[in-house]
Amino acid sequence: MSSLCLSMEGGAAASTPTALPYYVAFSQLLGLTLVAMTGAWLGLYRGGIAWESDLQFNAHPLCMVIGLVFLQGDALLVYRVFRNEAKRTTKVLHGLLHVFALVIALVGLVAVFDYHRKKGYADLYSLHSWCGILVFVLYFVQWLVGFSFFLFPGAPFSLRSRYRPQHIFFGATIFLLSVGTALLGLKEALLFNLGDKYSAFEPEGVLANVLGLLLACFGGAVLYILTRADWKRPSQAEEQALSMDFKTLTEGDSPGSQ
Amino acid sequence: MSSLCLSMEGGAAASTPTALPYYVAFSQLLGLTLVAMTGAWLGLYRGGIAWESDLQFNAHPLCMVIGLVFLQGDALLVYRVFRNEAKRTTKVLHGLLHVFALVIALVGLVAVFDYHRKKGYADLYSLHSWCGILVFVLYFVQWLVGFSFFLFPGAPFSLRSRYRPQHIFFGATIFLLSVGTALLGLKEALLFNLGDKYSAFEPEGVLANVLGLLLACFGGAVLYILTRADWKRPSQAEEQALSMDFKTLTEGDSPGSQ
């Protein structure tokens, strides 16, 4: 039933563009390397991770890279990757991935505030922390607003289609700001821990710089897949004109849902 | 003649969207505040700027914020701001702003390498420097390729229209990477110079954090103006279909030029 519905939405949605799977695979390779390399950095040079010791701090970068970079990025890609699935399913997956990302990021936040409290360090003085709090609050608000408009039933079609481009823009912007904040945090960790050894090209510094470049590349890859015009699902106007009645009949979904 | 030509391109280009000027004005206010605040930071807390002394380093952040952030951002906005001008004029302005940005960034690069050489500091060990060199090389390559495809006559129409979306994507990405690199540099300067005083909420630290947030906001504002679908010039396909003959007749411009 879903394939009938989608074939009504026009040719673009019914088939997957040839190059898209390769780009998605590349982005996932980058993302997984990113997570593995963050783990390797913390394990090899920062003593590993534990909750009840000084190593609690190390939970912070790992959670943030998994949650606010890798999972958040993947949540944005859901509409490109599952372009031939029913929109409702894709939407729920998109929302769920963002929930996982939020929860993991929250654990990462608790880790660093708890560590600071135990050590008696000041909170929220650095540019990294300011950007981080901003990202987290914006991400939470974006999730809430997105949920109320697109998943919670009842938002009128006109409101949804007016909010949709804003949701997409702010989603991409919050993701990019997350990547930027991760870069600031990495830089902070390096300057705190390595000091003068950083300029002597210590292995830890080189590894962390490569990790930083990978973070930027992952951000770029997700942005490329998101913004390529011919990889988008067909526009709402097309969808509405072509398949509103079919969608309502076959899926029982509200017309024009994201 | 230009207005005749543009009115042939479809209604979207002939009039300016109501909200666009306000958003552009806001972005310019942000950009100018950014430059002024960078100057204030260097003047108030870092001793000002001079070429033949230790203050040579301070030319680096100022040049980079003016060139690779403010001017580069404005160069991207040219197609939105001058949407009712002849495309050739807009294109030349776009190219020229990027040349200014490149030259100012080159001065900023020379300043920091020269300063490192005089002080005997190591070059290119930090994540900021790696990202910075990457940005500069990509920016230069993007300019060269953009020039050969769009300003230098002779590139066939098919090649132009295939390269155009890539040029736009990489332009926006290089701009965002420039903003990210500036944030990393700011963070580096703060941690080198303030040390423990950073966590005591010293005025310099707070000022620089605000500067960092403004940098991110300027990046976001430019990205918003660039990506808003209804603020774009009409697409090339439309343009070609509707006005190719009129353009060729009235402007003598090659059809489908960017």
Side-chain angles (χ1 to χ4, degrees):
Chain A
M1 207 186 288
S2 145
S3 72
L4 167 77
C5 166
L6 282 157
S7 67
M8 293 300 166
E9 283 184 25
S15 67
T16 302
T18 332
L20 177 59
Y22 297 101
Y23 279 79
V24 171
F26 177 67
S27 74
Q28 296 313 291
L29 195 70
L30 273 177
L32 290 171
T33 311
L34 205 58
V35 173
M37 207 181 236
T38 309
W41 168 52
L42 296 169
L44 284 171
Y45 299 106
R46 307 269 109 235
I49 293 173
W51 196 259
E52 294 295 341
S53 75
D54 279 6
L55 298 176
Q56 186 179 20
F57 174 82
N58 293 349
H60 176 69
L62 189 67
C63 285
M64 291 318 193
V65 167
I66 294 176
L68 285 186
V69 178
F70 183 55
L71 284 181
Q72 184 182 178
D74 274 9
L76 304 190
L77 295 185
V78 151
Y79 288 100
R80 303 293 174 277
V81 175
F82 300 101
R83 47 192 300 118
N84 300 336
E85 303 301 317
K87 206 151 208 179
R88 183 102 207 151
T89 321
T90 321
K91 205 192 277 193
V92 169
L93 185 62
H94 177 76
L96 270 180
L97 275 175
H98 279 312
V99 171
F100 288 145
L102 252 174
V103 171
I104 295 173
L106 191 64
V107 175
L109 262 189
V110 171
V112 73
F113 276 104
D114 211 32
Y115 173 79
H116 275 200
R117 191 181 49 77
K118 285 176 194 161
K119 287 277 192 181
Y121 292 163
D123 284 321
L124 297 178
Y125 64 86
S126 75
L127 181 56
H128 166 69
S129 62
W130 286 26
C131 289
I133 286 296
L134 182 71
V135 159
F136 190 80
V137 170
L138 288 177
Y139 191 50
F140 186 56
V141 170
Q142 165 92 345
W143 192 90
L144 280 183
V145 180
F147 180 83
S148 358
F149 274 63
F150 298 124
L151 270 170
F152 197 73
F157 172 72
S158 63
L159 217 64
R160 281 186 179 186
S161 58
R162 244 191 307 169
Y163 171 57
R164 193 170 170 272
Q166 313 292 331
H167 182 77
I168 295 172
F169 172 77
F170 281 103
T173 304
I174 292 168
F175 169 67
L176 292 174
L177 198 56
S178 304
V179 173
T181 306
L183 288 174
L184 285 176
L186 186 64
K187 183 94 198 184
E188 195 170 275
L190 286 176
L191 291 175
F192 280 155
N193 297 317
L194 281 176
D196 287 344
K197 286 191 286 177
Y198 195 12
S199 62
F201 293 89
E202 284 275 306
E204 180 180 354
V206 175
L207 179 91
N209 285 359
V210 173
L211 178 57
L213 289 184
L214 278 178
L215 272 164
C217 288
F218 179 71
V222 169
L223 197 67
Y224 184 81
I225 297 169
L226 267 188
T227 53
R228 225 177 110 156
D230 52 337
W231 289 355
K232 289 193 172 135
R233 277 182 177 245
S235 75
Q236 270 198 314
E238 264 174 88
E239 210 181 301
Q240 200 196 350
L242 289 166
S243 67
M244 200 170 92
D245 298 331
F246 292 99
K247 271 179 83 79
T248 320
L249 280 171
T250 53
E251 267 182 83
D253 195 9
S254 59
S257 54
Q258 198 210 19
Chain B
M1 208 187 283
S2 147
S3 74
L4 167 77
C5 164
L6 283 158
S7 68
M8 294 299 166
E9 285 184 25
S15 67
T16 302
T18 333
L20 178 59
Y22 297 100
Y23 279 79
V24 171
F26 177 67
S27 75
Q28 296 312 292
L29 194 70
L30 273 177
L32 290 171
T33 312
L34 205 58
V35 173
M37 207 181 236
T38 308
W41 168 52
L42 297 170
L44 284 170
Y45 299 107
R46 307 270 110 235
I49 293 172
W51 195 259
E52 294 295 342
S53 74
D54 278 5
L55 299 175
Q56 185 180 22
F57 174 82
N58 292 349
H60 175 71
L62 189 66
C63 285
M64 290 318 191
V65 167
I66 294 176
L68 284 187
V69 177
F70 184 55
L71 284 181
Q72 183 182 178
D74 274 10
L76 304 190
L77 295 184
V78 151
Y79 288 102
R80 303 293 173 278
V81 175
F82 300 101
R83 49 191 300 115
N84 299 336
E85 304 299 317
K87 205 152 207 177
R88 183 102 205 149
T89 320
T90 321
K91 203 192 278 193
V92 169
L93 184 62
H94 178 77
L96 270 180
L97 275 175
H98 279 312
V99 170
F100 288 145
L102 252 174
V103 170
I104 295 173
L106 192 64
V107 175
L109 262 189
V110 171
V112 73
F113 277 104
D114 210 33
Y115 172 78
H116 275 201
R117 190 182 49 76
K118 285 177 194 162
K119 287 277 192 179
Y121 291 164
D123 284 320
L124 298 177
Y125 64 86
S126 76
L127 181 56
H128 166 68
S129 62
W130 287 24
C131 289
I133 286 295
L134 182 70
V135 159
F136 190 81
V137 171
L138 288 176
Y139 192 49
F140 185 56
V141 170
Q142 166 92 346
W143 193 89
L144 279 183
V145 180
F147 181 83
S148 357
F149 275 63
F150 297 124
L151 270 171
F152 197 73
F157 172 72
S158 65
L159 217 65
R160 283 186 177 185
S161 58
R162 245 192 305 169
Y163 171 56
R164 193 170 169 272
Q166 312 293 332
H167 181 77
I168 294 172
F169 172 77
F170 281 102
T173 304
I174 292 168
F175 169 67
L176 293 173
L177 198 55
S178 304
V179 173
T181 306
L183 289 174
L184 285 176
L186 186 64
K187 182 94 198 183
E188 195 170 273
L190 286 175
L191 291 175
F192 280 155
N193 296 316
L194 282 176
D196 287 345
K197 287 191 285 177
Y198 194 15
S199 63
F201 293 89
E202 284 276 305
E204 179 179 356
V206 176
L207 178 90
N209 285 359
V210 173
L211 178 57
L213 289 184
L214 279 178
L215 272 164
C217 289
F218 179 71
V222 169
L223 197 67
Y224 185 80
I225 297 169
L226 266 188
T227 53
R228 226 177 111 156
D230 52 338
W231 290 353
K232 288 190 174 138
R233 276 181 178 246
S235 75
Q236 269 198 314
E238 265 175 87
E239 209 181 303
Q240 200 195 352
L242 289 165
S243 67
M244 200 171 90
D245 298 331
F246 292 98
K247 271 180 84 81
T248 319
L249 280 170
T250 53
E251 267 184 82
D253 196 8
S254 59
S257 54
Q258 199 212 16

